[in-house]
Amino acid sequence: DPDMPFVPSIPEDQFILVEEGDPTVIPCRTSDPNAQVTLINSLDKAVYAFYDSKQGFIGNFPAGSYTCKTMVKGVEFKSDEFLVYILRATSQLPVEIEALKTVYKTGETIVVTCVVFDNEVVNLQWNYPGKVKEKGLIKLDDIKVPSQKLVYTLTIPEASVKDTGDYECTARHATKEVKENKKVVITVHDKGFVHLEPQFSPLEAVNLHEVKNFVVDVQ
């Protein structure tokens, strides 16, 4: 089609996510398989890479915006803009699970954190006693400095005895067959179970240099 030499791209094709070090495709395809196509970066400079009219430009591209252009009967045409995002991902999947405490009383808020290191391309799922009722609130913090880590925080407000059990996070690599799971056991008690009986008054007096013992019975 001389009036539309570049095949229209859908929005999903214009955002290209690629793992660090991996080749990718900038999918500016032409309706004329013999068209001479040039790849231009955000600085309006030509980028040299292998071109396949059925796929687009293939190669290792730095993060940034790219546009393709071609000439038809002396008229220049430009493709849509394509944005390349480089994501950090390692073949290993270091994961840690953290809980500030593992014993709670009814009514308290349970907080469990799962941290994935050195990876941005991760799918993470939680399994916990209240999952069926969707009781948990999940928050994600993507921290890049001083190092890359994804911090997933699971919060269970107004905990009850039924929230006792295993809290497990499973991280799966989005592009590789790698997964890692970690687990912590949380216990929720209906009420406090330590009873203190002080064997002294709220106010006690002592003479100078006198030694006095203060005794507490713990049940």
Side-chain angles (χ1 to χ4, degrees):
D1 182 352
D3 295 323
M4 188 173 288
F6 287 108
V7 177
S9 56
I10 58 175
E12 288 82 356
D13 287 341
Q14 292 176 250
F15 296 92
I16 303 165
L17 304 178
V18 58
E19 290 180 30
E20 200 172 41
D22 283 358
T24 190
V25 176
I26 296 177
C28 51
R29 298 175 294 134
T30 53
S31 57
D32 176 4
N34 297 315
Q36 298 297 310
V37 184
T38 304
L39 181 63
I40 303 296
N41 62 18
S42 58
L43 300 175
D44 206 29
K45 291 186 177 181
V47 178
Y48 297 97
F50 174 75
Y51 183 71
D52 181 340
S53 63
K54 294 180 180 181
Q55 297 184 67
F57 284 96
I58 303 168
N60 292 78
F61 303 105
S65 65
Y66 296 86
T67 309
C68 303
K69 69 178 183 180
T70 188
M71 298 287 289
V72 178
K73 295 179 180 179
V75 179
E76 184 179 270
F77 289 85
K78 286 188 175 182
S79 71
D80 294 322
E81 183 183 40
F82 297 92
L83 298 172
V84 174
Y85 295 91
I86 305 297
L87 299 176
R88 180 170 173 77
T90 59
S91 57
Q92 302 299 316
L93 205 54
V95 178
E96 288 184 5
I97 194 167
E98 302 170 354
L100 293 177
K101 59 180 185 175
T102 56
V103 178
Y104 291 84
K105 288 193 299 182
T106 295
E108 291 185 328
T109 299
I110 298 173
V111 179
V112 182
T113 300
C114 196
V115 184
V116 182
F117 298 92
D118 298 328
N119 280 269
E120 293 179 282
V121 196
V122 171
N123 295 318
L124 188 131
Q125 290 184 324
W126 286 97
N127 281 307
Y128 56 97
K131 184 175 181 179
V132 176
K133 296 183 179 179
E134 296 184 348
K135 191 173 181 181
L137 306 172
I138 299 171
K139 185 182 76 165
L140 168 61
D141 293 308
D142 186 354
I143 299 171
K144 299 186 183 300
V145 179
S147 60
Q148 171 65 43
K149 61 181 178 179
L150 298 173
V151 182
Y152 297 84
T153 304
L154 173 67
T155 303
I156 311 290
E158 296 291 325
S160 70
V161 175
K162 293 181 179 179
D163 292 309
T164 294
D166 293 343
Y167 285 70
E168 184 178 53
C169 67
T170 303
R172 287 182 173 84
H173 202 291
T175 58
K176 297 181 177 69
E177 292 297 320
V178 179
K179 77 171 185 176
E180 186 73 32
N181 67 297
K182 297 287 182 174
K183 181 177 71 174
V184 65
V185 179
I186 300 290
T187 305
V188 182
H189 293 279
D190 187 37
K191 56 185 178 181
F193 54 89
V194 176
H195 184 64
L196 305 178
E197 288 186 0
Q199 303 298 315
F200 48 86
S201 305
L203 180 63
E204 292 278 352
V206 62
N207 294 322
L208 189 62
H209 303 305
E210 179 186 358
V211 175
K212 193 166 187 176
N213 293 322
F214 296 89
V215 179
V216 179
D217 287 339
V218 182
Q219 298 178 357

